[in-house]
Amino acid sequence: MNLTRRTLAASIGALALVPTLARAQVPAGYPANYADTIAAAKKEGKIVIYSTTDTASANPLINDFKTLYPGISVEYNDMNSTEIYNRFISEKAAGAGGADVLWSSSMDLQIKLVSDGGAMAYASPELAHMPKWAVWKNEAFGTTYEPIAFVYNKRLLSGDEIPQSHADLMRVFAQKADKLKGKVTTYDIEKSGVGFMLITQDSKYNPQFWEFVKALGAVGPRFQSSTGTMLERIGSGENLLGFNIFASYANLRAKKDPSIGIVLPKDYCLVMSRVMFASKTAKNPNAAKLWVDYILSKRGQTVIANQDLGSIRTDVEGEMTEAGLAKTLGGKAKPIPVSDELLGYLDQTKRLAFIKQWQAAIKGTKEPLTASRHEDRTAAPRRHRAGRARGVPAARADLLPEPAERAVLHADEGIGARRVPLHLRRFRFLGFAAQFADHRRGDGADRGAARRHPRVPDGAHRLAGPVLDRAAAAGAGV
């Protein structure tokens, strides 16, 4: 009888503790009613995340989040940013369930989704600790602080061969041209959305930008769509020097490869931030709020800093944090703002004009291609013939005016045509068009292309030329 009473008393005591435990989970400084958000999130029991951050880097965050909120499972989908963008808009159009949170390195496409009404407005309790440039309309949030670096092979470059600024990089191109010929790498801005975004940011801060591009062209650069490929080739010595490379990835690579050297440029250093937002149509909106708050919190940002992604908060200590890099870079750090400013070069006319000028400078052409020449190549009377080239539908030739209609190699990982998301059937033509692209290059830039795609008949590339030019100008991965 006494045992029963004691057991009952213990049970009642445990029940009495339940509200206390719920309140105990409310982080310091949060409103008291945040306990209601936690309770509602636990009822939802799940959160679905689409992210470009690889699962290995995200796992410490996921596990720590589960420790905080053990009743909530995390469905984490690791994709490239093109897949995230296309999947979100197609699911939204179909009214199908999808992500509760989107987290991507493609800052401009994230802002595009937010500006089109895809995000939930949420005034996170952590906003007081966020830099103003990292928050847009309480809908989109910068989450990392990742400087953009020069990377070089430490075994093969030394002394004045290692640039310390963008002006110094131009000097190295000129003075060490023989050694660097065909040995410099960076993003292919016609295929990589992140690469395009970074180079347009360079054009804002580098007063000698177009002279810099001409100097780059003179050393015969090797363009890539993937950070991983660039780092691999620098480490092997196939390339000696690269620029506009994520320092976060370079640091991770350098831990395994001692030949990787990293320089944060001293004149200005671009800083990129992975943008996160909670979906306006989230099936688990309360769990989404918890995840956003956790990622922005000091606890979450400390985990991020430990993964070398760089903390955006000034109260998190360490080398790869805003506070730590401020000591190294001072006022030379130039964070890319999370704002609608990023939408500028999603405008097709603006993008095409920049790419044409870039191509002319790389080739050393005195004048960029004229608009009339470009229009001649893509004029409507020829477009239907281009579209009919060996199975490419005629209607496909005039697609790709907006991000929703282009299969870009967008972000730090390039994708081949076979991995273009095919739930939007309009993209199917790119798989075939890629064969023409490989045939047209003929410069050995992608030595595996001939093995991956069958050879096409002689002359077929001329028929496909206009559609490829238009697709490439729009950012298509062909």
Side-chain angles (χ1 to χ4, degrees):
M1 185 68 174
N2 289 338
L3 180 61
T4 303
R5 284 176 179 170
R6 284 197 298 271
T7 303
L8 181 60
S11 299
I12 292 172
L15 288 171
L17 280 173
V18 170
T20 304
L21 290 172
R23 285 194 298 272
Q25 292 183 17
V26 177
Y30 280 39
N33 63 4
Y34 196 76
D36 298 334
T37 303
I38 295 173
K42 287 189 174 181
K43 284 184 180 179
E44 293 166 354
K46 180 182 181 180
I47 180 171
V48 179
I49 301 166
Y50 294 172
S51 176
T52 59
T53 303
D54 63 274
T55 304
S57 296
N59 271 335
L61 291 164
I62 294 169
N63 293 334
D64 193 42
F65 180 81
K66 286 179 177 179
T67 300
L68 278 175
Y69 306 112
I72 304 171
S73 65
V74 178
E75 181 183 313
Y76 191 86
N77 298 275
D78 176 357
M79 314 178 193
N80 65 61
S81 57
T82 303
E83 290 173 319
I84 290 176
Y85 182 91
N86 291 332
R87 186 166 171 179
F88 182 77
I89 60 174
S90 61
E91 288 172 346
K92 183 181 176 183
D100 299 311
V101 172
L102 283 79
W103 189 22
S104 175
S105 55
S106 179
M107 297 178 73
D108 53 351
L109 286 190
Q110 288 286 87
I111 294 298
K112 173 66 174 169
L113 292 175
V114 173
S115 70
D116 287 345
M120 173 201 308
Y122 178 52
S124 168
E126 297 291 345
L127 292 186
H129 304 286
M130 297 282 291
K132 290 183 179 180
W133 63 263
V135 180
W136 190 50
K137 298 182 2 179
N138 286 353
E139 295 179 358
F141 310 97
T143 61
T144 59
Y145 197 82
E146 300 178 66
I148 305 302
F150 303 155
V151 178
Y152 66 97
N153 186 301
K154 290 165 71 173
R155 293 182 288 105
L156 301 173
L157 292 183
S158 61
D160 66 351
E161 297 173 330
I162 303 169
Q164 300 299 315
S165 68
H166 292 84
D168 200 30
L169 183 57
M170 188 163 65
R171 174 195 62 78
V172 170
F173 291 160
Q175 294 182 0
K176 310 295 178 181
D178 291 341
K179 185 170 184 176
L180 294 178
K181 193 73 173 179
K183 301 286 188 179
V184 175
T185 187
T186 191
Y187 278 114
D188 186 332
I189 71 164
E190 296 177 56
K191 294 181 179 180
S192 167
V194 164
F196 183 83
M197 180 185 70
L198 292 175
I199 207 70
T200 55
Q201 292 291 316
D202 276 324
S203 71
K204 286 173 52 178
Y205 293 110
N206 188 343
Q208 297 178 294
F209 177 74
W210 290 112
E211 289 81 1
F212 170 84
V213 178
K214 289 177 183 177
L216 170 66
V219 296
R222 294 294 181 258
F223 297 128
Q224 304 294 342
S225 301
S226 163
T227 301
T229 301
M230 289 189 275
L231 291 172
E232 180 181 344
R233 294 187 180 185
I234 292 170
S236 70
E238 182 176 348
N239 295 148
L240 301 180
L241 177 64
F243 69 95
N244 277 4
I245 296 176
F246 284 61
S248 52
Y249 291 141
N251 279 325
L252 290 172
R253 184 82 182 198
K255 290 177 180 179
K256 302 176 182 178
D257 185 350
S259 66
I260 294 291
I262 303 167
V263 172
L264 299 182
K266 307 298 189 294
D267 49 350
Y268 69 88
C269 184
L270 296 176
V271 179
M272 184 281 241
S273 186
R274 296 167 197 247
V275 175
M276 177 179 289
F277 69 85
S279 171
K280 195 173 187 176
T281 57
K283 286 191 172 182
N284 307 295
N286 293 288
K289 291 176 182 178
L290 295 192
W291 178 264
V292 170
D293 291 336
Y294 167 71
I295 292 296
L296 300 182
S297 71
K298 185 174 182 180
R299 176 169 177 160
Q301 287 286 303
T302 300
V303 176
I304 282 175
N306 289 337
Q307 295 304 112
D308 280 332
L309 294 176
S311 171
I312 204 165
R313 291 176 59 127
T314 56
D315 57 352
V316 175
E317 297 181 357
E319 185 178 343
M320 287 300 294
T321 66
E322 183 180 17
L325 288 165
K327 296 175 183 176
T328 304
L329 297 171
K332 303 301 183 181
K334 302 296 180 185
I336 301 171
V338 180
S339 75
D340 54 0
E341 173 190 326
L342 292 169
L343 299 178
Y345 279 102
L346 291 182
D347 175 79
Q348 184 65 4
T349 303
K350 220 175 164 184
R351 178 186 175 89
L352 180 59
F354 186 94
I355 287 178
K356 285 169 63 180
Q357 191 170 358
W358 166 270
Q359 291 171 336
I362 288 291
K363 293 174 183 177
T365 308
K366 291 184 179 180
E367 295 180 2
L369 293 173
T370 63
S372 60
R373 277 186 64 189
H374 175 76
E375 289 165 2
D376 286 343
R377 293 201 313 270
T378 58
R382 296 182 61 190
R383 191 175 292 155
H384 74 281
R385 288 182 294 156
R388 297 184 192 280
R390 294 282 181 176
V392 181
R396 297 291 75 86
D398 55 2
L399 288 176
L400 310 170
E402 295 293 334
E405 296 180 334
R406 57 185 170 90
V408 293
L409 290 172
H410 208 96
D412 41 280
E413 291 192 27
I415 58 171
R418 294 178 183 178
R419 289 184 59 203
V420 170
L422 294 181
H423 55 274
L424 297 180
R425 296 180 63 84
R426 67 188 68 168
F427 291 152
R428 288 190 183 275
F429 87 100
L430 292 178
F432 184 77
Q435 297 177 18
F436 292 114
D438 290 338
H439 187 65
R440 292 177 75 207
R441 284 190 192 109
D443 59 359
D446 186 351
R447 292 181 172 84
R451 292 190 296 274
R452 288 198 305 273
H453 301 301
R455 190 172 179 84
V456 298
D458 288 342
H461 59 287
R462 286 190 290 275
L463 292 174
V467 68
L468 290 170
D469 290 336
R470 186 175 178 83
V478 297

